Amino acid sequence: QVQLVESGGGLVQPGGSLRLSCAASGFSFSSYTLRWYRQASGAERELVADISSAGTSTNYVDSVKGRFTISRDNAKKTVYLQMNSLKPEDTAVYYCNTNHWGYAYWGQGTQVTVSS
C-alpha cells in the first residue's frame, strides 16, 4: 500500500522559514518523481515543486523560485520542502504526491499559515 505522510506545517510570521517532510512507504521510492502541491482556501490545488527520482532535477512554480527548495533522501524514503522568506500568500495546505502505476497518491496534507 502506497502511503505518504506529511509533517512540519505550522504558523510562521512573514519572512520566516519552515521545513516540510513527507515520509513514504509501500513502493520503490527511489524510482519515482515526488511532488509538493498546495491548496489555499477556495483555490485550486497548485503544483509547487517536483524532484526527479535521483534528486538531480528539480522544478518550481515561479512564485516560489529562490525561496523554496525541494530535496529527497532516498535512504530515508523522505522528501522535503524547505520554505524560506515565507509570504502570506504561501498559506495553504501542502500535499505530497507521487504517481505510481498510473495512479496519483496523496498524503493527508499539512497546514502552513503565514501571518503576523
Side-chain angles (χ1 to χ4, degrees):
Q1 183 82 15
V2 173
Q3 290 191 331
L4 301 169
V5 180
E6 302 95 338
S7 62
L11 174 64
V12 296
Q13 294 185 346
S17 297
L18 205 60
R19 188 178 77 158
L20 307 183
S21 298
C22 173
S25 62
F27 67 103
S28 183
F29 180 84
S30 63
S31 297
Y32 292 88
T33 294
L34 273 297
R35 305 170 182 86
W36 284 100
Y37 284 77
R38 66 187 180 188
Q39 187 166 26
S41 181
E44 297 293 322
R45 191 168 295 188
E46 174 188 40
L47 177 62
V48 177
D50 62 43
I51 185 166
S52 62
S53 58
T56 54
S57 179
T58 59
N59 297 286
Y60 302 91
V61 67
D62 285 346
S63 60
V64 309
K65 287 180 179 176
R67 300 189 297 119
F68 290 12
T69 303
I70 188 171
S71 62
R72 66 193 293 165
D73 186 335
N74 284 345
K76 295 180 179 179
K77 295 185 176 181
T78 302
V79 61
Y80 305 94
L81 186 66
Q82 178 66 48
M83 305 185 295
N84 299 325
S85 302
L86 283 161
K87 304 175 180 179
E89 50 263 46
D90 296 318
T91 296
V93 178
Y94 284 71
Y95 298 91
C96 183
N97 158 267
T98 193
N99 293 332
H100 185 248
W101 284 85
Y103 190 90
Y105 290 88
W106 302 89
Q108 291 73 40
T110 185
Q111 176 71 49
V112 172
T113 302
V114 185
S115 177
S116 59

